[in-house]
Structures are given as C-alpha cells and as structure tokens.
C-alpha cells in the first residue's frame, strides 16, 4: 500500500483532483456493502480485491434483475357505487342449467362472475347446486360461444336480422304457412308470456316442445292420461317413508336432482330422525340413485314397466280396486319374493310412500301415476296441485317433421333446443329445413342445429340475462344478470318480443309482468311493489302464500289404451341411452369442468363408454377399452366398452351428451353421440332400444378413468351399519374406531401442535353423500383448479383437490355402493410435512396443512408419503388456452405454476375473508360464518366445516358422534376430517 | 507482512462467506425476492401527496376508499379528483390532464409502486382495522412530492412486524363505524350482536396461508 | 528390508515380473500415447449418448416433469430408482479404497483408483437426479440453508431428502478428496515424465509440489490414513441415509427399519458388480491382466456372494416381518410385489440378486472373467430392479384402493437414464486417458521385489511369494525407493 493513488482515473472529478472523489477511490465501494466487509480497514491484499469484485458483480447482477417490469394501476373514471375493487358482490339469481331452476347466488369480483353458489333461502333447492349449475360460470366465458348474429356464416347487425325475421314471419303468416317455435318445456312464466305474445302476433304460429331426454314430456303426457292435465307434479322425497323408483335417477339427473337430494338426505337422516326411508330402485343400469338405494333390483329395460305393472296389480288387490289393461301383461323376470316385498312395504306406508318412474315411456309413467293413486299419496309424497303445468297446446317434434315433409311450414325458430344433435331424426330435420323460407336458431353457439338454419340470433347466457321460474306452485324465483352481455348477444325473450312487434327490454317486460301477476298473488305483505320487487331481487325468490289448490282427480278411462304398448321385448341386447350427472342432455358439453369431472358411477372422464355387465363381458371376452360396434337399425356406433358392475346382462348402456360436432373446442369429438341410435315409437324418440346388435371390433381405445380399482379390499376406510343395528348401538359398524379410542394410542415423536384459537376441521356424512360430484366442480371453480384434459387423466394426473371415491362390495352383478368424498385430511401428524426438504408444506396454528406453492420446488415426496393420495402435482403449465376463460379465475387464490404441488386448503381464502370480516366488525366468528366451497354447494348437506375447538360447533359435535371415524387411525396421522358411518335401511336386520 | 498474516484468517472467513452469499443472491434473483425499495417512478400526472396529504391534511381514505374494507386500498377514480378540481386550480396543466381524462372517459394509467408478488396476498382492511398507520408501511407519504417505496416490503420485513406485534400484545382500536350487524339490527329490529367484552388483542398471523394461498 | 519375512503361502498380487520402471511405463502408457481407434469409438458413443441425454434433460426441464410417466400416485419412478442405483454403484470405490485399506487388504491396490473414480462418476450421475427430478429444478438451491430476507425461511431438517443432500455432498467431497490425495504421488510421476508444455504445467499444479521426499511420504501416508478413516463411516452413512428416504415414510413397503443395513449391503453388492464390469473391460483393453489379476476378481466375487446373501436375507426378512407384523397394508404390499402387476420386476430382481450370486460358489465360474462379467451385469440389472420394485410397487398400491395406479416410464425417462450412462462412460474414458488408472505408487509396494527389499534390482521371482502384512508406519521405509523412482533423475 505504498501508493494509494490510482494509476488510472475513474471519473472526471477524480482526474481534476476533487478530494472527495479521491477519498472515494481509497475504497472500491462507494457505499458500504450490507454484509459488513467494507467496515474492515482497506488493505492491499489482492485476495480481498478478488472477493470485492465478486461481491460487486453479484450486487450489480442483483440490481440488474431486481426491477420487475412496470405495472400500471388503471382506476375507474367514475367508480360505480356498489363496486369496491377487491370486494365480492353477490347477486341472487336462478339457475338455467336444467329444468330444476335452483336458487343461486352469483359471486362477482370487479364485474366478473367467478363463482356460483346455492341460495340458502330458496325453499326448493335450499342452498344446493349441482355440478352443471356450478359449471355454468365457465360456460359464460366459453370462447366457442357465438359473439354476434349471423346470416349463414356472415355477420349481420341485429337490426338487419330483425328486419329479415319480421318480414319472413309476416310473409309466412300471410301465406297461411305455419310458424313453428321449437322450445324446451320449461322457460319460466315471463318467457312463456313472451312466447304467448309472439303466438298472438302470428296466428299461424304454434309452439313445438322438444326435450332431448323425453322424461318431462313423458311425465306430463302421462298425467294428461291419468289426471287430464299436462303437468309435472311436485315430488316430496322428504315426506316419503318408502320410495320405489323405476329407473328414475332422481338424485342424479331426473327432474330436480338438487332439491330431491336434499329431501332424500333429510328423509334418511337416521341420526336425527331415529328412522329413515327405505328406498327401492328397479333399474337396468346403475345410476347414482340406484347406488344410494337400500334395495336395488336389476331388471332388463323392458321389464321395468312389467315390474311396475305387477306392483300396480298387487296394490290394486290390496286397495280392492280394479285396474284395467293389466290382465294381459306377462309377469316380469323378477322373483316373486322381491315383488311381494316391494308391494307390501309400499302399502304399509301408503300415503307416505312414493313411486316414481324415469325414462321417456308414457306407459311406464301412467303406471307410476296409477300406483301413486292407489297408494293415495296425493298431497303427501306427491302433489300434482303444487306441480307445474306445461304448455298444453304444444306440438311434438314428430308433428313438426310431418308438417315439414308436407311443406306447410313457413318458418321454424329453434330457441334453446338442438334437435339436429339430440334427436334420431336430426339428419332428416336438417335436410327438411333447407326448404323452409325462414329458419333461425338462438343457440348460444353455432351448434349442430344452428349450422343448418339461415339465421343465427345468439341468445345471452343465463348469467347475462333476466328471467324467472316457478318450480313449485307459489315459489317464484328471479333470475338476474350478473354481468352485461360479453358479446353482441340478446336475450331470447327480447328477440321474441322484437319479432312479435312489441319490442321491449327483457327487464321492463319482466318487471311489468311481476307487477301485474306475481305481486297480486303475494298476500299480506303490506308493502308496495317497489319494496316487494327490491326484496325479490335481493333474495332471488319469493314464496307466495298460495291457497291450497284442488288436485285433478285420477281417471281410469285412458289406462287400458295407454298401457297397450307395454310388452316384453325379449332381446339379446337392449340399448339404454342415459344422461350423465355432468353433461345431462349434452347442452353444456363444451365445458371443461364438466367433461373432466368423473362420472360418479363409471368414473370415466372425457368420453362415454358402453357399459356392459361383468358376466356378459366375461362371456364375450371383452374388457375395458375394447371397442364394440353397436348397431340399431341402419345406424352403427363404435364405442369402447366399460365393464360396469350392476348392469343387467342384456343391456348395453351408452351415455348421451357426448359426440358433439359443433359445440366448440372442448367438446367436439369427445365421446360418441348415442342419440341417433334412439328408436322412434309413435312419433316419439325412445332412448331404450331393444334388439340392437353388438359386435367386437378388436380395436382398443383406452378410457380416461380417475379410479381403476373399485373394491376396498377389506380395508376399513368406509364404515357402514344397518339402521336397526345403528339404532341399537350408535357405534355400530364403527367398532374399529372404538378400538383406536377415537384418536388412539397417540405416541408421537413430535410434541404435537397447540391450537390457542381455532382449529378447523371437516365432517363428512357418508350417509348423506350420494356422490353427485357437485362439490368436485365447486372446488374446482373456487380454487382455480386447471382442467388437464383426457390425455392427462389417462396418465392418472387428474388435478381435482376433491374427489369422490366410489367402492363396490358384494356381488358384482348387483353390488352395494359407497361414495367417499376425499380431500386433504389436514393431518395432525402429517406425513407430508416431515418430508418436504424446503418447508413448503407446514402446519398452521389453526390446524390446517398448508401448501405453500411459491416455496415448493417439486420433489413430490409429500405426495408419495401422503397415505390418502390427495396431493396433486402440476406436471405442466396448465394454461388457459383462451384468454376469455381466464376471467373465471378466483383472484383470491393463486394460479399455480408448473412444478409445484397443490391440494385442498380447506378454502383458506374463505377462512381468511370471514376472519377479516369478523375482526372488522369487532365480533367473534360464529359457527357457520365460514363455508367451504364443497360444503356450500352440497345438495345433501353432507359436508360440515367448523372449528373443533368450539365445543358448540356442529363439526365438534359430529367429531364426537358415535358414527365418527377417521381415516387410517392406526397410522396416527390424526386426520382433521371426520367421516360418519353410512347407515343403510335394507331391512336385512343385522348391521355389519 | 506480519500484520497481514495475522489478519488473514478473519478475512478468509469473511471471504468464504462472501462467495457463496454472492452466488446465492445472484441465483435469488429468479426467486421471489423482489425488493423495490427506493422505487420512485414518474407518474402520468405530477400528483403531490405532500400537498394533498401533508399541506392540506386530507385523510388518506378520502381517496383510497378501499383501505378500510377491502384488500385493495385502491387508487381513486378520476372523478374523485374532480370533486375539488372543478373549482380548484383548474388552470394547472396537470389538472387539465385529469379533466381531459374525465371528459374523454379514459382512465389515467398510474404506475404502480408498492407491489407484492402475485403469490402474496395482502389485505389493507385487516391492517387498517388493526389500527396501523398508513405510514408504517408506506413511509411518510405526506412528505413525498413523488411517491417512492420507502420500506423493503420483503417477506422478512412483514414477518418482523407480525412477530413484534404479537410479542407486544398490542390491542386493536375499537371499530370506528357501527358494526354491520348493528346496522342491520337497527334497521330490522333484530337483536344486536353481542358487544365485545374486551378489546381485541392483535394476533397477527405468521402462518404461511395467511398470505400465500 | 532384510528382516522382512516372505510367506510362501500367499499368492503374488502382481503376477508378471515387473521392474518399477516397467510398471511406471506400463501404467503411464495409455496417458502418453495417442488414443487408439477403439478409444475413439468408445468415446464417440459415450459422448453422443451423453449429448442425447443432455438434450432430453433439456427438453424435460423446458417442458415440465410431465414428460415423465409419473402420476398422482406414483410420484417417483425411474428418477429415484436411477438415483439410488447410481448411489449404490458409487459405493464400491470408497469401500474398496477406505475400508479395505484400513483392513490392510493389499489386493485393493490395483483396483482402488479406478473404483474410486467410478464412485465419483456414479455419484455425479446420481446427484443429477435429485435436481432434474424437481418440478422446478432451477430452485434446487433452496434445499441449502442460507441466510435470506424471507423472515428466515429455513430448510426442513426433519426431511430425509435434506439429509440426503448433506450425506451425498459430504460423501462426494470426501471421496473426491480421498481420490485426489491418493493421486498426488502419481500426478507427480506424470509431471516428471512430461515434457515442457501445458501437460507439464497442469500436472505441476495438480501435484501440489510433490517432491517424493521421505517427509512428504510420511505426511502423505498419515493424511491418507486419516482420510480413509473419515471416508469409511461415510460409505455406511450414505446409503443408510438414502434408505431413510423410504424408511421414514409411512408407505407400506417403505416404512421398515431394515432398510439402512439392507441398502448398504445392496449398495456394496451392486458396487462390486459394477467394479467388476469395469475392471474386466479395462484389464482386457489395456492389457492389465497381470495387475488386475484373477485373484482380484475372485476376491470380489466372494464379497458379492456375501453381500448377495445379505440382500437375500433382507428380502426374506421383509416378507417375514410383513407377515409377522399382522399389518394388513404391509402384508398386501409384499403380496402385491410378488404377485401383483409388477411381479415380473420382482422376479427379475429375485433371479438376479438371490439366485445368480450363488453361481460364484463354483471355482470355475469365479475364475472365468467372461462368466464373472456376465454375472456382474446380471447383478447390476437385478439391483436396478430392486430399487424399481421398492419404489414403484410400494407407491402404486398403497392405502386407499381408489388411488391405485400403474406407472409406465416414458422415452424421456429411459433416455435420461441412458444419458447418465453416457455421462458415466464419458467421464470414465476421459479418466482412462488423462490419469493413471492404477495407483503406481501403491502397486509398486506390492511388487514381489519390493516386498523382498531388493531395492532397485529387478528380481523376477521364481515362485510365487506373498508379502507379510506390516504396520503402516513402516511404509515410508518400504516405499522410499519408489519416491526415488519418481524423481526426474531416477533411472526409469
């Protein structure tokens, strides 16, 4: 250090001899380094300089990469009063996913609907929403939706389109040609009023009602035979002590599954009621409802009506009445004892017994009505008086086809229906449409029907438009938009009014009708319409104090004629086309959430296999994934086989709703379309087709299953008890748990966690859970869980944080089924927590097992060590291909990147939000303030969330229940999830 | 030379630390460390907090309305500026920029200064509700002509405060506004929610899921 | 050394008569001549395999770990199988070097260098896996505890993976140092033989100023002994800790206390098999049959019989305990191993590891390099399958039958695995070219004349004689002439 002056100047100041600058050169660092090196006196050690340079370059590199790109904040110019960025806004509304019309709450964030929840105040759906309803929010952002009206394939303005339509309609009316509006059965009172307005404007106009599944029309038409009204009664499963369902999947897809599931769960709450309903199911293929049944009889499809006829005959004998038209019917292929048991059990409860039938066969429905009439349950378990009347004057699609062939139709408007896809005569219809001067569709996309029409006037989705519904007499619910239409679309009602020459915004029309017709029915409110209207908007539903109505009486006159068609079709193969819980009739097919949710029974995603009985598969040498060719008449279909327990040996069952060709990016080409195989009997499409042929092709097509092993292998993960045994001993079936002392020998290496405040936990009632999978989709929506697609599911990489395990036990020809919702167990001694090298999964002070995505490096060790295999890994970046679809993301939950583990967080964002709200309001949290996404949507209310440290909470009570058990207690993982034993009422007397 | 050799071990030790540290901090760039302390970008309008919050003493929440009830404090909508500036200082070119924005219905694009990574959730309402001064995290904004990020705003910085607050057993101020439950009770006649027996002792969470979810 | 007593019962370790000079010449020859076409072919293949492997790894890192065949139930497959496999291979080198050194097994001298190199290369191949198998490999440094500004976010010292990080890096470091220290006298020899130039300069630096003086040798021997003492527990600890990745988990088939000794035995078993594979090739290719003699091979086969027996015992014990524990999950896991969908893997493992070592009871097989070579490969295959069976069959069917799944590796995984062989052989071939693959200094000490103490006179023995074990403290005396031999002015 002989010469401190540098040989080279570093700055002009230094060169000029500025003493400050010179002083600075004494030390290479102008500023002290944070690690304290610069604090030591400078010396001449070259080694030190080396490290200085190294440190400096590192610091320089840090500075260089520290600045992230500039982000901007763009505030409103004028903020709407109700919007506070960061706060959710909720709208009460009504679901439009199916005919059930459940009450909804739509959560919007910064103007975007992001989540659908059930409306607890809705007296029918009572807070539940099914998978389809949950997924409707994703359909809103579906990039394949039509974005503007078109003529052919070219874009037109609404004005041009309206002018075209009005002119063509006038011309048709003047020429005396028919104007046909093809509609679904249920539109809601206001939309029906708009239809009426349209019909009045054009005298030649008539409605045609089309329903892909034909279930509702079968019920309504049967009531026309038996009661003289085209109506659907109000079924009350909560009032039924005995339920006999003949192929009606009322927990899954039939009429109003959410409401029925709630009612059903209540009638089977043995713990609270000390009794429970007994449920018989007679069906050819396993449905969600059949899986829940106490006694399930597997019969051939054509035998279902015969078993029901036999039941009617027996009930008639008991009632001492004569039922015409039954004498000639052959006896069904079901043993005498079972038939007698069915009749006796139903008769014993009479008024509190309920017979329902599914399917599209009017005769079967007539038999069900007759059985109910014989039981005398009107006003108890079934109420036609409280039901909903359907369009009595509507024509059928068959009639429309006849008219089209005759050339007497001048205009066909398809509104909310897609018969070219969903009807076996679709191809013919498409061809006939070419000759009609005006053809129009209002579907939300250019679907299979819309590509065959001249004009496309896309309708706004349910989340963008007004509407209403009356699903039970006196329960009127309101649908309000949660967002302005994203595209140039218009509500169907507005279109109809426009074309009827009475243009009016949907909102005005709706409100005016409510003022004129709904408000007067609301008695004893003592308030003006505005208050009534505001209240209706806020609650989403009004219950009108309706005076008891007289139900139309049962008539025997038409019975014999109606039952004439009932016969046995002994055939080697009978094809059953059935709807699935996720896709229903196929309308919501272009929805990745629904495609990816595993079917609760088959566990298939992204496709529809042909289910055949294990015995039949064995005889034919077929196994899962073998492609067979199904031929019905001249139509053939190549479809992979799934060996499905509980299927009748003569049946080959294919789900409908798949095989779309014009639905969009997601659905096109997924699965096969079964509709064209339907039979047409008396102008009606029938989804049960006797006499099909099945031929193996030798090809293979793997099935994307989320669960490939279906038996519990004797493991006590699911426990169950017979009702009688349970009533005698609340721990019945759960004796293993007692052995573990309800927490057991808790020797542990760790000192354990201390919870000073809350300790969150879940309880899942296996008795209530039907496996409907609403929770799975709800969880997916809430937590930004990606849909991974068929290929990834095939690789067993489904991402759902919540899944429903389905196990079979007993005879595979007709097994007993259990569903077990499975999510992260938030273990006390979590195996995942000890093994993560970087502490990316740790225990919270409130008992949650937290996964910290941004800390995760992705060793997957935690997932390996997870005994319940609930952890999900981001194998790739699952990007949202369409920017529009990103709008559905929940801003309160991070979107995980590739390479990190994720899993159920017990909706920690909801916990935080409620805690913050309680703190803000200066009050303690109450039990029920926080609801997890799965809990909220559960139609059966099988899931309970709460604080087990609060002894009064529901979840704490359930954790101490006799039915309570935890998974893998012997591992001493200390699961936070309590499962409650499943109680069955098979009547076999002994519990296991 | 003797002196140097006796000092060598200490320096070597320091140096030995420096090397890996430098390497790690280098690598740390790709990680979540996103310290923008001292960041003071230019804004589209030369708005001075020193004038508004300092000189005139406007309450922070007059403009940042979300701070009390939402995750986001929020940047005021342009129309809020015009509450006063339709009258005040209308001839200033900066105000004219704002007025033009309102007239064209085109929002101003402010440059974001305080920014946490996307995977960190921060709730303004919880912190304001706990009685924290805005300045605790944002520095003396009322003195800033152009706003800058004063604090480190790293995870360690957040946690230090959370741990410190818990250790000191600080209690929260009573809620200033009537509680939501009380409001509802006033209007509907339903019983009011039970009042709190004792002031709430702040328990700022240190669980990962408090901020990462 | 006139006081040295030679035993007529011991066979010589070097079977051909060689002078010190000849030996030096012979061992240094491959480094000093131009590579043969055979080497080029081998190197070309190895490098292209390595390049392909690197490309595949690059693709995998860029695209995501989803390019592997893993799934929600089987989170580890080829990756950790190969990791454990390579770590196992990396056992024998240090074992041969350190433990055999401590036990005064002189026969180690001609194979220890190559075995140690093999250890290092195998551990490098192994260490690759914990990094590339990560979902976000660029954040692998998070497993190191270092000061940070995240509120002292630390690592999880309870995690066996973290123990692994430390165990393997320690093992690698100590093995590398041990190897390097052992190399120093030879590096000096090469330095002294080299003409001026880069080669000379490099070896000059690398030999750390070795003079071959008596004092240097004395210190060297002490350091080497200490390092051997340090390395020995590490041989045991590495695989013990690797086994804890599994043993400390809750998964049936993993959660067992037998794993540490079982894994160590398995590692020695596979390590020796790999040493045999490499040595048999090397001795033929480089013509070292007199240095790496049949006796060496035979000794190693004997170790294989013993460790193979240990491994078999472990298999049996596992089954017994699974049955004896009465734990239904454990029982199922083992029945599933033997009779489930991966039974083929299990029975390959049993055939290779339990049955095949017993062929070494036959002297004929034990002394046939060809037979040994084939069997060593068989054992390597078997040991690979052992890891595969442990990892995959335990994971694919664990507690909840709903999550049972199958695992099929993809081409990316297979390619990565083959790529690690490319890495291994590339490094090994380079090693063969640039460093003396047999410890010149140590082999000289087991030459017959050295043991007879005849100093610089070559003395081809008329009949086989063996050395008497002598205390290490005497080594400097014995090896003093060697030091002279390495000097520049020595008559070599």
């Amino acid at each position: 250090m002989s010469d401190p002056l540098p040989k080279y100047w570093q700055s002009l100041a230094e060169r000029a001899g500025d003493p400050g600058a010179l002083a600075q050169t004494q030390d290479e660092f102008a500023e002290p380094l944070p690690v304290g090196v610069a604090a030591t006196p400078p010396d001449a050690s070259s080694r030190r300089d080396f490290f200085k340079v190294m440190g400096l370059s590192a610091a320089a590199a840090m500075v260089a990469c520290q600045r992230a790109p500039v982000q901007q904040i763009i505030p409103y110019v004028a903020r709407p009063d109700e919007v506070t960025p960061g706060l959710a806004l909720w709208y009460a509304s009504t679901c439009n996913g199916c005919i059930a019309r459940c009450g909804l709450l739509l959560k919007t964030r910064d103007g975007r609907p992001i989540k659908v929840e059930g409306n607890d105040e809705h007296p029918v759906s009572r807070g539940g929403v099914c998978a389809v309803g949950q997924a409707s929010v994703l359909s809103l952002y579906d990039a394949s939706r039509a974005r503007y009206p078109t003529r052919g394939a070219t874009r037109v303005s609404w004005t041009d389109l309206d002018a075209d339509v009005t002119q063509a309609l006038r011309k048709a009316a003047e020429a005396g040609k028919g104007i046909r509006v093809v509609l679904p059965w249920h539109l809601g009172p206001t939309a029906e009023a708009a239809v009426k307005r349209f019909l009045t404007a054009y005298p030649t106009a008539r409605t045609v009602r089309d329903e892909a599944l034909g279930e509702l029309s079968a019920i309504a038409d049967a009531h026309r035979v038996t009661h003289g009204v085209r109506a659907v009664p109000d079924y009350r499963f909560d009032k039924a002590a005995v339920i006999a369902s003949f192929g009606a999947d009322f927990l899954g897809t039939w009429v109003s599954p959410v409401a029925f599931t709630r009612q059903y769960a209540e009638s089977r709450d043995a713990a609270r009621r000390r009794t429970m309903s007994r449920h018989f199911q007679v069906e050819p293929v396993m449905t969600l409802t059949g899986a829940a049944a106490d006694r399930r009889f597997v019969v051939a499809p054509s035998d279902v009506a015969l078993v029901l006829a036999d039941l009617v005959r027996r009930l008639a004998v008991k009632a001492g009445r004569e039922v015409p038209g039954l004498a000639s019917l052959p006896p069904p292929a079901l043993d005498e004892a079972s038939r007698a048991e069915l009749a006796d059990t139903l008769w014993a409860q009479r008024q509190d017994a309920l017979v329902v039938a599914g399917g599209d066969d009017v005769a079967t429905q007539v038999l069900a009505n007759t059985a109910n009439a014989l039981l005398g349950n009107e006003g108890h378990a079934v109420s036609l008086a409280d039901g909903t009347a359907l369009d009595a004057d509507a024509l059928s699609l068959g009639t429309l086809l006849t008219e089209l062939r005759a050339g007497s139709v001048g205009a066909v408007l398809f509104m909310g229906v897609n018969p070219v896809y969903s009807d076996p005569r679709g191809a013919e219809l498409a061809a006939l449409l070419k000759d009609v001067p005006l053809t129009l569709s209002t579907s939300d996309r250019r679907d299979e029907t819309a590509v065959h029409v001249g004009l496309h006037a896309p309708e706004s989705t349910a989340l963008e438009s007004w509407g209403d519904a009356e699903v039970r007499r006196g329960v009127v619910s309101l649908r309000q938009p949660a967002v302005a239409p994203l595209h140039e679309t218009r509500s169907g009602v507005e279109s109809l009014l426009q074309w009827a020459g009475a243009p009016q915004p949907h909102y005005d029309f709706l409100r005016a009708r409510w003022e004129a017709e709904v408000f007067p029915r609301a008695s004893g409110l003592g308030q003006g319409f505005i208050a009534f209207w505001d209240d209706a908007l806020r609650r989403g539903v009004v219950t009108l104090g309706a005076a008891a109505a007289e139900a139309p009486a049962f008539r025997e006159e038409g019975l014999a004629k109606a039952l004439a068609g009932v016969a046995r079709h002994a055939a080697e193969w009978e094809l059953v086309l059935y709807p699935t819980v996720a896709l229903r009739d196929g309308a919501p097919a272009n929805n990745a959430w629904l495609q990816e949710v595993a079917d609760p029974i088959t566990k298939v995603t992204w496709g529809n296999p042909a289910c055949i009985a294990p015995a039949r598969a064995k005889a034919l040498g077929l196994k899962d994934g073998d492609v067979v060719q199904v031929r019905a008449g001249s139509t053939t279909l190549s479809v992979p086989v799934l060996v499905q327990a509980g299927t009748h040996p003569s049946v080959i069952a294919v789900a409908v709703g798949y095989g779309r060709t014009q639905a969009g990016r997601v659905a096109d080409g997924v699965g096969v379309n079964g509709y064209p195989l339907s039979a047409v009997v008396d102008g009606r499409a029938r989804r049960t087709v006797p006499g099909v042929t099945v031929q193996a092709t030798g090809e293979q097509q793997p099935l994307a299953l989320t669960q490939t092993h279906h038996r519990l292998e004797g493991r006590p993960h699911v426990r169950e008890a017979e009702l009688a045994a349970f009533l005698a001993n609340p721990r019945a079936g759960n004796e293993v748990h007692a052995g573990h002392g309800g927490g057991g020998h808790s020797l542990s290496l760790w000192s354990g966690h201390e919870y000073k405040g809350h300790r969150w936990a879940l309880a899942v009632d296996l008795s209530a859970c039907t496996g409907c999978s609403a929770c799975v989709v709800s969880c997916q929506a809430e937590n930004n869980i990606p849909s991974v697609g068929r290929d990834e599911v095939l690789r067993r990489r489904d991402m759902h944080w919540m899944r429903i395990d389905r196990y079979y036990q007993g005879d595979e020809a007709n097994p007993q089924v259990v569903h077990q919702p499975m999510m992260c167990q938030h273990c006390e001694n979590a195996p995942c927590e000890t093994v993560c090298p970087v502490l990316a999964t740790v225990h919270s002070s409130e008992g949650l097992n937290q996964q910290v995505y941004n800390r995760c490096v992705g060793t997957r060790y935690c997932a390996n060590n997870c005994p319940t295999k609930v952890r999900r890994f981001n194998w790739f970046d699952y990007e949202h291909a369409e920017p529009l679809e990103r709008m559905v993301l929940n801003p309160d939950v991070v979107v995980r990147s590739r390479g990190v583990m994720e899993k159920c967080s017990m909706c920690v964002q909801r916990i935080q939000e409620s805690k913050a709200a309680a703190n803000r309001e200066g009050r303690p949290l109450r039990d029920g303030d926080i609801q997890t996404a799965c809990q909220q949507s559960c139609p059966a209310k099988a899931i309970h969330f709460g604080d087990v440290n609060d002894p009064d909470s529901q979840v704490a009570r359930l954790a101490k229940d006799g039915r309570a058990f935890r998974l893998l207690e012997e591992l001493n993982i200390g699961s936070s999830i309590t499962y409650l034993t499943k109680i069955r009422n098979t009547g076999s007397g002994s519990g296991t | 030379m003797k002196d140097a050799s006796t000092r060598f071990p200490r320096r070597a030790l320091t140096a030995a630390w420096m090397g890996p540290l430098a390497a790690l901090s280098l690598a740390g760039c790709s990680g979540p460390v996103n310290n923008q302390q001292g960041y003071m970008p230019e804004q589209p309008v030369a708005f001075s907090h020193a004038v508004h919050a300092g000189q005139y003493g406007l309450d922070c929440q007059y403009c940042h309305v979300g701070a009390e009830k939402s995750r986001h404090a929020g940047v005021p909508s342009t129309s809020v500026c015009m509450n006063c500036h339709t009258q005040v200082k209308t001839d200033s070119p900066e105000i004219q920029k704002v007025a033009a924005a309102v007239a064209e219905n085109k929002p101003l694009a402010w440059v974001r200064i305080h920014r946490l990574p996307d995977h960190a959730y921060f709730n303004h309402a919880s912190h304001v509700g706990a009685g924290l001064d805005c300045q605790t995290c944002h520095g003396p904004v009322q003195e800033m002509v152009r706003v800058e990020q004063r604090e480190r705003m790293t995870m360690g910085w957040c946690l230090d405060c959370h741990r410190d607050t818990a250790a000191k057993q600080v209690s929260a101020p009573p809620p200033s506004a009537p509680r939501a439950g009380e409001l509802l009770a006033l209007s509907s006649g339903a019983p009011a929610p039970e009042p709190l027996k004792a002031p709430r002792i702040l328990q700022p969470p240190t669980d990962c899921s408090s901020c990462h979810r | 050394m006139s006081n040295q007593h030679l035993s007529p019962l011991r066979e010589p370790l070097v079977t051909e008569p060689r002078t010190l000079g000849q030996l030096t010449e012979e061992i240094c020859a491959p480094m000093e001549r131009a590579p043969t076409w055979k080497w080029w072919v081998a190197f070309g293949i190895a490098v292209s395999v390595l390049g392909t492997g690197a490309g595949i790894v690059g693709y995998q890192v860029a695209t995501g770990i989803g390019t592997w065949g893993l799934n929600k139930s089987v989170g580890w497959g080829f990756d950790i199988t190969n990791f454990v496999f390579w770590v196992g291979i990396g056992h024998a080198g240090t074992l041969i070097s350190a433990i055999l050194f401590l036990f005064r097994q002189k026969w180690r001298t001609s194979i220890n260098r190559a075995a140690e190199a093999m250890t290092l290369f195998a551990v490098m191949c192994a260490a690759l896996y914990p990094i590339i198998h990560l979902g976000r490999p660029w954040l692998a440094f998070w497993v190191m505890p270092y000061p940070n500004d995240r509120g002292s976010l630390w690592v999880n010292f309870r995690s066996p993976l973290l123990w692994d990080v430390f165990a393997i890096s320690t093992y690698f470091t100590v093995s590398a140092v041990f190897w390097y220290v052992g190399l120093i006298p030879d590096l000096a020899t090469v330095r002294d033989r080299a003409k001026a130039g880069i080669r000379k300069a490099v070896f000059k630096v690398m030999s750390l100023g070795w003079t071959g003086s008596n004092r240097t040798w004395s210190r060297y021997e002490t350091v080497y002994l200490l390092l051997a003492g340090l390395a020995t527990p590490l041989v045991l600890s590495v695989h013990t800790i690797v086994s804890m990745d599994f043993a400390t988990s809750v998964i049936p088939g993993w959660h067992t206390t037998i794993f540490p000794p079982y894994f160590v035995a398995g590692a020695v078993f596979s390590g020796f098999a790999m040493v045999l594979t490499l040595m048999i090739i090397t001795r033929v290719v480089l013509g070292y049959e007199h240095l790496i003699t049949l006796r060496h091979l035979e000794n190693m086969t004997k170790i294989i019989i013993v460790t193979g027996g240990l491994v078999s015992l472990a298999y049996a014990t596992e089954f017994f305990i699974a049955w004896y524990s009465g734990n239904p999950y454990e029982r199922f896991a083992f029945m599933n191993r033997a009779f489930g969908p991966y039974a083929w893997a299990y029975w390959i493992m049993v055939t290779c590891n339990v049955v095949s070592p017993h062929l070494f009871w036959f002297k004929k097989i034990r002394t046939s390099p060809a037979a040994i070579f084939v069997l060593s490969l068989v054992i390597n295959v078997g040991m690979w399958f052992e890891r595969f069976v442990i990892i995959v069959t335990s994971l694919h069917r664990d507690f909840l039958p709903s999550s049972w799944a199958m695992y099929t590796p993809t081409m990316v995984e297979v390619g990565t695995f083959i790529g690690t062989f490319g890495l291994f052989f590339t490094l090994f071939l380079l090693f063969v070219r640039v460093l003396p693959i047999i410890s010149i200094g140590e082999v000289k000490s087991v030459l017959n004349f050295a043991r007879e103490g005849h100093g610089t006179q070559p003395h081809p023995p008329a009949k086989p004689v063996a050395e008497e074990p002598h205390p290490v403290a005497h080594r400097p005396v014995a090896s003093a002439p060697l030091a002279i031999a390495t000097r520049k002015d020595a008559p070599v």
Side-chain angles (χ1 to χ4, degrees), chain A residues 159-197:
Chain A
T159 331
D160 289 356
L161 181 124
D162 288 340
D164 272 17
V165 174
T166 322
Q167 198 191 355
L169 288 173
R170 285 220 188 93
K171 224 157 112 191
E174 280 161 18
K177 293 248 185 176
I179 296 169
R180 296 291 172 260
V181 194
V182 192
L183 298 160
W185 280 108
H186 259 303
L187 286 175
T190 301
E192 292 291 355
V195 171
K196 265 203 195 88
R197 181 77 63 90

Side-chain angles (χ1 to χ4, degrees), chain A residues 842 844 846 848-852 905 908-909 912, chain B residues 121 206-213:
Chain A
V842 286
S844 92
E846 299 182 343
L848 298 180
N849 171 260
Q850 315 165 99
Q851 176 66 26
V852 192
S905 65
V908 67
Q909 67 279 4
Q912 307 283 19
Chain B
Y121 282 79
T206 48
D207 291 328
C208 306
S209 59
S210 313
C211 308
H212 306 298
R213 63 215 198 188

Side-chain angles (χ1 to χ4, degrees), chain B residues 48-136:
Chain B
S48 166
H49 277 84
V51 171
H52 291 82
Q55 199 176 332
Y56 296 116
L58 288 184
D59 190 77
C60 302
Q61 294 190 32
Y62 178 76
C63 299
H64 302 287
V65 287
E68 201 179 35
K69 50 189 174 184
S70 164
R71 242 177 80 189
H72 306 297
V75 167
S77 53
T78 322
S79 60
V80 171
C81 306
M82 301 318 283
N83 287 354
C84 298
H85 284 293
T86 45
Q87 307 294 327
V88 183
K89 261 195 123 180
T90 48
D91 53 344
S92 149
E94 295 296 314
I95 300 300
Q96 279 160 6
K97 280 191 211 167
V98 181
V102 173
E104 290 169 33
N105 195 25
K106 215 175 136 192
L108 292 164
W110 301 92
V111 180
R112 186 169 185 183
I113 299 162
H114 299 94
R115 172 162 106 195
L116 298 180
D118 286 350
H119 55 249
Y121 282 79
F122 176 82
N123 191 335
H124 272 94
S126 298
H127 290 80
V128 173
L132 244 73
D133 288 329
C134 305
Q135 285 82 350
T136 312

Side-chain angles (χ1 to χ4, degrees), chain A residues 47 51 61 65-66 68-69 71-73 75-77 85 87 845 850 854 891-894 912 920-922, chain B residues 8 15 26 29 34-35 68-71 77-79 107-108 110 112 115 119 121 179 196 207-210 213:
Chain A
R47 193 184 286 105
F51 283 112
C65 66
Q66 157 186 88
Q71 264 189 13
Q72 290 185 322
I73 304 179
Y76 285 101
V77 174
L87 288 188
S845 59
Q850 315 165 99
N854 41 309
D892 288 334
V893 178
V894 81
Q912 307 283 19
R920 206 159 57 238
E921 292 167 20
Chain B
F8 174 69
L26 196 64
C29 283
N34 214 355
N35 177 3
E68 201 179 35
K69 50 189 174 184
S70 164
R71 242 177 80 189
S77 53
T78 322
S79 60
L108 292 164
W110 301 92
R112 186 169 185 183
R115 172 162 106 195
H119 55 249
Y121 282 79
R179 294 179 284 156
L196 286 178
D207 291 328
C208 306
S209 59
S210 313
R213 63 215 198 188

Side-chain angles (χ1 to χ4, degrees), chain B residues 16-40:
Chain B
W17 265 111
M18 273 290 292
L21 267 184
L24 284 170
S25 40
L26 196 64
C29 283
S30 59
V33 181
N34 214 355
N35 177 3
Q36 303 209 62
Q37 199 170 10
Y39 183 43
M40 185 165 58

